[in-house]
Amino acid sequence: MAGREFLEVLGDLSVEEAEAIGTRQTEEGARAGRPGGGGRFDLLEELGIHQSGGVTDEHFMEEALRQARKAAAKGEVPVGAVLVVNGAVLTKAHNQVEELKDATAHAEMLVVTAAAGEIGDWRLNEATVYVTKEPCPMCAGAMVLSRVKRVVYGASDPKGGAAGGALNLLQFEGLNHKCEIRSGVRAEECRDLLRDFFKKQRVAEDVGGK
């Protein structure tokens, strides 16, 4: 994260909150033999802002949003996804259900399948999947079976989401793998894409029905 972005994060805190976090990080750093604490990266973790290779979740979600916009331009439900390993994008995709005439061609399914082909292994233990909408049960199941480490999504889906919205398959008791979850990353932008798409769909249906 650049210095300017870091200061913008700090700007969202009160002076008291920033000082309290800074003091705690310094004390923890001293106990761990790191005088001064871990600097801004410890503070980012304290704020719930994760980094991969020095790049934030918000950055990778921007690429997922770009993919979602491509889907919208094709008349597909605007959901995009990227799969990241070791701080680099390995695969990226958008919904292609209509284009491929395949109900399983969701963005998450496509990036997981492509990533397995890229690395030559179905196990994606070090992967993080960024997706603009909360995964459905099919996609959540695929990511659990693929041993995806983290799932980061934007817009929640309280009716059909399987990452805590309607149910939580990503962390389902009894399964032999559970994914870490972070929700709400750039959620407003992700929601706006979906809302605009379905609004246009309804208008087109109304016009076509007259």
Side-chain angles (χ1 to χ4, degrees):
M1 175 178 282
R4 179 181 175 184
E5 295 174 287
F6 179 69
L7 289 174
E8 288 175 351
V9 170
L10 286 181
D12 292 332
L13 299 174
S14 69
V15 173
E16 292 78 8
E17 288 172 325
E19 288 180 347
I21 292 173
T23 299
R24 183 161 59 255
Q25 295 294 351
T26 299
E27 291 173 349
E28 291 174 357
R31 285 195 295 272
R34 295 179 292 123
R40 71 186 189 184
F41 299 108
D42 280 352
L43 177 54
L44 289 172
E45 290 296 324
E46 182 81 20
L47 296 171
I49 299 173
H50 296 269
Q51 298 204 143
S52 180
V55 184
T56 65
D57 287 345
E58 286 72 13
H59 168 83
F60 289 120
M61 189 60 77
E62 172 57 35
E63 180 57 44
L65 279 161
R66 277 195 285 268
Q67 291 297 314
R69 294 183 191 107
K70 289 182 180 181
K74 296 179 178 180
E76 300 274 2
V77 175
V79 177
V82 298
L83 187 146
V84 173
V85 177
N86 296 327
V89 174
L90 182 63
T91 56
K92 52 189 175 181
H94 54 269
N95 272 9
Q96 296 182 56
V97 171
E98 301 297 335
E99 182 178 356
L100 300 178
K101 307 303 183 213
D102 180 357
T104 71
H106 289 192
E108 304 96 303
M109 299 291 288
L110 296 173
V111 295
V112 165
T113 300
E118 285 287 330
I119 67 175
D121 194 347
W122 60 268
R123 301 171 185 85
L124 304 175
N125 305 76
E126 299 304 315
T128 297
V129 172
Y130 296 85
V131 59
T132 55
K133 187 186 78 67
E134 183 179 351
C136 72
M138 174 183 68
C139 295
M143 289 187 282
V144 169
L145 292 174
S146 300
R147 308 293 194 269
V148 167
K149 183 178 181 179
R150 293 181 68 226
V151 177
V152 179
Y153 69 87
S156 297
D157 181 1
K159 292 184 178 180
L167 68 161
N168 189 355
L169 287 180
L170 293 178
Q171 298 175 337
F172 194 77
E173 290 298 328
L175 296 180
N176 61 2
H177 177 75
K178 294 179 176 61
C179 305
E180 298 173 24
I181 301 171
R182 185 184 176 199
S183 62
V185 175
R186 304 188 68 162
E188 186 173 353
E189 294 166 85
C190 297
R191 277 194 301 268
D192 286 347
L193 265 179
L194 290 163
R195 285 171 178 165
D196 289 348
F197 174 81
F198 287 114
K199 182 178 180 180
K200 289 175 182 176
Q201 290 287 96
R202 288 191 293 272
V203 168
E205 289 173 3
D206 290 342
V207 171
K210 291 181 180 179

